[in-house]
Amino acid sequence: MDLGIKGKTAIVCAASKGLGRGCAEALAEAGVNLVINARTESTLVETAAAIAAKYGVSVTPVACDISTAEGQAKILAVCPNPDILVNNAGGPPPGMWSDWDRDDFIKALDANMLAPIAMMKAVLPSMIDKGWGRVVNITSQSVKSPIAVLGLSNSARAGLTGYVGGTSRQVAPYGVTINNMLPGNHATDRIASLDQGVSSAQGISMDEATAQRVETIPARRYGTSAEFGAMCAFLCSQHAGYIVGQNILLDGGSVNSTM
Ligand code: NAP
């Protein structure tokens, strides 16, 4: 399927690895020129070169922390008027409700709620002027079904979801769509570190921790960054203009609900 976005420009945040990279690769395959971001410059530059070589698009790496105002400004200075914005950042650490204080919440809110809101606020006006734009936020299945040990994530992502629910309806009249993608368990460094946490807490091996988690997923496997990226590219395509303010689960059936 021709996604109809060849030649457009996208900012993909937190994209040197994992789900963000999956989104960047799928957009590049559709002919979109990219500005990609992550904190570790060496990995980011390597990823940018690999994507540019594979898909023949321009890929500009911007090394910075997306959760900071300086980081956001650095990316926007390179690409002030993207056609497409994919918001992403690392997820907060697991713990117990009694562990977290104000500073922990502020860090989680900065990364997983306030950074995507700031990026949207910066790029929506030019998308509205052009009469076309696509925003995709990577959130989590925890928006639909809380994951108790990820209370910081549950809280920050719920805030972003509420913001998108209203804002997406305000920008839709101008041909701009905002949607959220909700990953369940995907085979990335993030899930490996969560499995490592289970392994240490329960005194079991990594393989046992992974097998234990996979057993809870109806699809009986972890998702891949490539299939996650394919959905992102579709949401950013010409074909997705009527999909507005949705929360799309990619979770192998993990969230047990009828709708
Ligand atoms: P990942 O494999 O750990 O990759 C994270 C990427 O984000 C890396 O490129 C990392 O590079 C970059 N990054 C992290 N913090 C950043 C920051 N502050 N500023 C800029 N770049 C940053 O993670 P993932 O599995 O792809 O997860 C992506 C998001 O989806 C996370 O918020 C995660 O919580 C959420 N999620 C993931 C899963 C899953 O199963 N994988 C499930 C639910 C939700 P640097 O470290 O070099 O910055």
Side-chain angles (χ1 to χ4, degrees):
M1 184 192 288
D2 178 2
L3 297 183
I5 49 178
K6 193 172 181 199
K8 293 207 180 279
T9 300
I11 294 175
V12 187
C13 304
S16 66
K17 295 194 270 183
L19 303 180
R21 178 168 181 165
C23 295
E25 294 228 17
L27 288 168
E29 191 175 5
V32 174
N33 296 309
L34 303 174
V35 173
I36 64 169
N37 147 262
R39 293 164 302 182
T40 312
E41 187 156 29
S42 52
T43 324
L44 181 68
V45 167
E46 226 172 84
T47 298
I51 295 177
K54 187 165 177 190
Y55 300 106
V57 294
S58 110
V59 187
T60 307
V62 183
C64 58
D65 183 343
I66 189 64
S67 70
T68 65
E70 301 73 40
Q72 293 150 22
K74 199 170 167 190
I75 298 169
L76 291 164
V78 172
C79 184
N81 303 313
D83 304 298
I84 294 167
L85 168 66
V86 179
N87 278 315
N88 185 31
M96 270 294 278
W97 60 270
S98 48
D99 295 339
W100 304 311
D101 57 24
R102 181 181 161 77
D103 286 346
D104 299 309
F105 278 100
I106 296 296
K107 261 190 223 150
L109 292 174
D110 273 341
N112 300 116
M113 177 183 165
L114 299 173
I117 289 175
M119 292 298 287
M120 281 186 267
K121 194 172 176 209
V123 304
L124 285 173
S126 70
M127 290 181 177
I128 288 169
D129 285 348
K130 282 185 270 190
W132 197 94
R134 298 281 185 266
V135 179
V136 171
N137 300 296
I138 299 179
T139 66
S140 170
Q141 75 172 41
S142 69
V143 168
K144 297 231 183 205
S145 176
I147 301 168
V149 293
L150 293 177
L152 293 170
S153 170
N154 299 337
S155 307
R157 300 191 199 275
L160 175 62
T161 304
Y163 175 87
V164 167
T167 306
S168 60
R169 269 86 185 175
Q170 290 178 315
V171 301
Y174 307 100
V176 179
T177 71
I178 313 178
N179 292 287
N180 302 321
M181 291 178 66
L182 285 51
N185 298 292
H186 281 73
T188 67
D189 289 359
R190 166 76 173 170
I191 206 73
S193 79
L194 293 175
D195 283 348
Q196 187 60 60
V198 171
S199 156
S200 311
Q202 297 184 13
I204 58 177
S205 70
M206 264 293 271
D207 283 351
E208 286 167 326
T210 300
Q212 193 171 291
R213 194 188 297 275
V214 164
E215 192 55 35
T216 67
I217 306 169
R220 295 289 189 273
R221 66 173 176 88
Y222 287 164
T224 68
S225 296
E227 56 198 352
F228 191 86
M231 173 57 87
C232 177
F234 180 76
L235 286 174
C236 295
S237 76
Q238 297 293 358
H239 310 296
Y242 210 52
I243 303 175
V244 169
Q246 296 303 299
N247 290 285
I248 296 168
L249 268 174
L250 292 97
D251 70 340
S254 293
V255 173
N256 190 35
S257 71
T258 306
M259 287 197 284

